[in-house]
């Protein structure tokens, strides 16, 4: 029986996991680790951005270093100044823990950080802050090496005799470190030469903080990517500067976002020509006088503290497209006792983490029984045949995300105990999920007209959605 659990990550998903294990009971030791000095994970905004980008950036074994400041070490993340969620806040709420009623339907990043911090306040005693996980490997149990983030350890990146590492054993390890850490900048013809000729003109969405930083740039600005960050960077720039901005997209976007006639849609890229500062597209068009290229191309799957496993015959990470050997995008059937929280794109991560945490706690307490190794491996192979070894492998778009959560809920309900249950979907929440793109568009339009953000009550009064009630 599992008695000790290590949870890596102090963002919303890590907190939900720790709470699930504590509420389930039966565990003698539940310890959370967070490299930052506080809760919040990706929602911890800092104006400092990681400028040490590898171009191209395609190595999933690369490590993201913190930035040393007078006040300590900062881990730059993918949150920018004016970021607002693209998910209605009721879909982000944990069980029995609400956002204030006056919250805008799509809240600002600072509101989300405050919500997470308050949610985790009673869990602080179970966390070790300013502590970086440097190694996780398998022995008789899971061996976890952690290191204090301080000057003596260079922010947790070198061993120190004065501040030695801590090595502990755990029965299980839950990884809730998110998927927005290591930028993906794919190889393009001419990219390396462009970077050599025009240094500091290649950016990634992770380094974006404000359209003010781009407003004074000369030449055309090209954003590559058509998901949340690409759409938002273009919208913010166009709205702030009143200038055209170009966006290269392979396909239609799956997420909501703002629109502007100043955002000029372009197709996929053929190649870059640094000699003429031009970008060529697959349809033969050419964009000249390009002064800045922003890659909004997502992130690599990266698990640097699993170096030993990744060198083994059963690696978790190969090319960074996905995590290998998982049942239901969560449980490692190749490495029992290891699980990954909310790694799928397009899901509602807070809600998914809460359900996965309860599901995993019951598995480790012997209340939910998993299929055989052969069956779990077979299910992964079937999914691989459908989706390929691509970043989309773990994606769960609506309504796949709801069906996925229902699968876990079914297991949880069948467990023979009276333990905690995740919150059930309400008709309103299902309607919000189904109509998120429309709601986001209407809220942005309302803000542009009035300068005011719509609350949930106000949005419902506009009869934008049918709640089924």
């Amino acid at each position: 029986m599992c008695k000790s659990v290590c949870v890596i990550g102090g963002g919303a998903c890590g907190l939900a996991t720790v709470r699930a294990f504590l509420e389930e009971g039966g565990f003698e030791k539940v310890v959370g680790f967070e490299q930052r000095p506080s809760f919040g994970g990706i929602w911890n905004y800092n104006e400092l951005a990681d400028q040490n980008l590898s171009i191209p950036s395609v190595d999933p074994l690369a490590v993201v270093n913190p930035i040393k400041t007078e006040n300590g070490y900062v881990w730059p993340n993918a949150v920018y100044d004016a970021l607002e969620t693209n998910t209605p806040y009721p879909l982000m709420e944990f069980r029995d823990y609400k956002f204030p009623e006056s919250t805008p339907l799509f809240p600002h990043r600072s509101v989300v950080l405050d919500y997470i911090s308050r949610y985790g306040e009673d869990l602080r005693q179970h966390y070790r802050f300013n502590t970086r996980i440097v190694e996780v490997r398998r022995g008789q149990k899971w061996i976890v090496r952690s290191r204090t983030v301080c000057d003596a350890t260079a922010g947790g990146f070198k061993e120190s005799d004065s501040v030695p590492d801590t090595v502990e054993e755990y029965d299980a390890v839950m990884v809730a470190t998110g998927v927005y850490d290591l930028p993906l900048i794919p190889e393009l013809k001419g990219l390396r030469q462009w970077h050599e000729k025009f240094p500091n003109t290649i950016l990634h969405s992770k380094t974006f903080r404000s359209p003010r930083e781009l407003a004074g740039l000369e030449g055309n600005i090209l954003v590559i990517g058509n998901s949340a960050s690409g759409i938002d960077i273009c919208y913010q720039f166009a709205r702030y500067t009143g200038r055209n901005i170009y966006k290269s997209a392979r396909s239609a976007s799956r997420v909501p976002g703002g629109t502007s006639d100043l955002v000029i849609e372009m197709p996929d890229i053929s190649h870059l020509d640094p000699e003429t500062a031009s970008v060529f597209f697959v349809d033969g068009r050419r964009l000249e006088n390009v002064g800045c290229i922003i890659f909004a191309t997502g992130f690599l799957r990266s698990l640097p503290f699993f170096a030993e496993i990744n060198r083994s015959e059963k690696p978790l990470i190969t090319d960074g497209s996905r995590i290998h050997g998982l049942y239901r995008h969560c449980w490692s059937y190749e490495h029992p006792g290891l699980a990954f929280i909310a790694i799928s794109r397009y899901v509602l991560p807070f809600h998914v983490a809460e359900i996965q945490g309860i599901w995993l706690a019951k598995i480790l307490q012997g209340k939910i029984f998993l299929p055989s190794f052969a069956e779990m491996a077979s299910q992964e192979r079937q999914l691989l045949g459908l989706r390929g070894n691509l970043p989309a492998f773990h994606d769960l778009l609506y309504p796949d995300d709801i069906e996925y959560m229902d699968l876990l809920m079914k297991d949880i309900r069948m467990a023979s105990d009276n333990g905690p249950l995740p919150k059930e979907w309400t008709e309103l929440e299902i309607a919000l999920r189904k109509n998120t793109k429309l709601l986001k568009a209407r809220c942005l339009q309302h803000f542009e007209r009035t300068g005011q953000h719509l609350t949930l009550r106000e949005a419902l009064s506009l009869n934008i959605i049918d709640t089924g009630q």
Side-chain angles (χ1 to χ4, degrees), residues 68-354:
K68 188 179 185 306
T69 72
E70 293 181 356
N71 299 318
Y73 289 85
V74 172
W75 271 266
N77 56 33
V79 170
Y80 39 89
D81 185 20
L83 176 69
E84 296 173 355
T85 70
N86 57 13
T87 300
Y89 77 78
L91 303 183
M92 302 175 69
E93 290 180 332
F94 292 113
R95 183 189 73 240
D96 301 327
Y97 199 77
K98 301 289 187 181
F99 277 88
E101 189 173 335
S102 60
T103 300
L105 187 57
F106 295 92
H108 184 256
R109 56 164 177 82
S110 60
V111 176
V112 180
L113 177 60
D114 181 67
Y115 175 82
I116 296 170
S117 299
R118 288 186 289 107
Y119 173 78
E121 192 57 40
D122 63 331
L123 300 176
R124 295 188 68 85
Q125 62 183 313
H126 300 284
Y127 262 86
R128 299 178 193 171
F129 295 98
N130 293 308
T131 304
R132 179 174 176 264
I133 300 298
V134 295
E135 181 185 36
V136 179
R137 59 187 173 86
R138 187 69 187 181
Q140 289 187 338
K141 295 187 177 184
W142 287 100
I143 300 170
V144 178
R145 179 183 295 272
S146 61
R147 184 176 297 159
T148 301
V149 174
C150 61
D151 287 343
T153 66
F157 278 80
K158 74 173 186 180
E159 292 190 60
S160 169
D161 292 335
S162 61
V163 186
D165 293 351
T166 300
V167 180
E168 299 168 290
E169 290 187 335
Y170 290 89
D171 295 320
V173 174
M174 307 288 109
V175 181
T177 52
V179 295
Y180 303 104
D181 193 36
L182 183 60
L184 167 62
I185 300 179
E187 184 77 76
L188 291 176
K189 183 180 178 182
L191 176 62
R192 294 174 187 267
Q193 295 84 350
W194 186 292
H195 179 53
E196 291 175 3
K197 185 165 184 176
F198 304 115
N200 303 319
T201 65
I202 302 291
L203 306 177
H204 187 273
S205 59
K206 186 182 178 184
T207 68
F208 174 78
R209 288 295 177 267
S210 167
R212 292 187 299 273
E213 300 170 344
L214 305 176
L217 295 180
E218 296 182 356
N220 291 311
I221 296 177
L222 172 65
V223 174
I224 303 174
N226 198 31
S227 196
S229 58
I231 292 173
D232 210 16
I233 290 171
C234 289
Y235 175 72
Q236 287 193 31
F237 178 86
R239 194 167 184 272
Y240 181 80
T241 67
R243 288 171 50 190
N244 286 336
I245 186 169
Y246 297 82
K247 175 160 63 73
S248 169
R250 289 182 175 178
S251 58
S253 180
R254 297 173 171 178
V255 297
T259 60
S260 169
D261 292 339
L262 297 172
V263 179
I264 300 174
E265 302 283 345
M266 304 296 285
D268 200 6
I269 291 173
S270 167
H271 64 280
L272 281 60
D273 180 11
E275 295 304 317
T276 61
S278 300
V279 175
F280 289 80
F281 300 89
V282 293
D283 65 353
R285 278 187 284 175
R286 170 183 180 178
L287 180 63
E288 300 178 328
N289 189 29
V290 176
C292 179
I293 302 174
I294 303 173
F295 281 80
T297 43
F299 296 80
L300 291 159
R301 305 281 177 172
S302 176
L303 300 167
F305 40 83
F306 285 112
E308 182 175 288
I309 287 180
N310 286 332
R311 290 192 300 266
S312 72
E313 294 180 354
K314 300 176 180 178
L316 295 162
I317 298 290
T318 54
D319 63 359
S321 294
R322 66 185 181 99
I323 301 177
H324 296 258
L326 299 188
Y327 173 61
R328 291 185 177 174
H329 305 290
C330 183
W331 175 266
S332 175
Y333 61 83
E334 293 281 14
H335 306 284
L338 175 63
F340 298 86
I341 310 300
I343 67 168
S344 295
R345 298 185 302 182
Y346 308 114
V347 298
L348 308 170
F350 294 17
H351 199 176
V352 167
E354 191 170 57

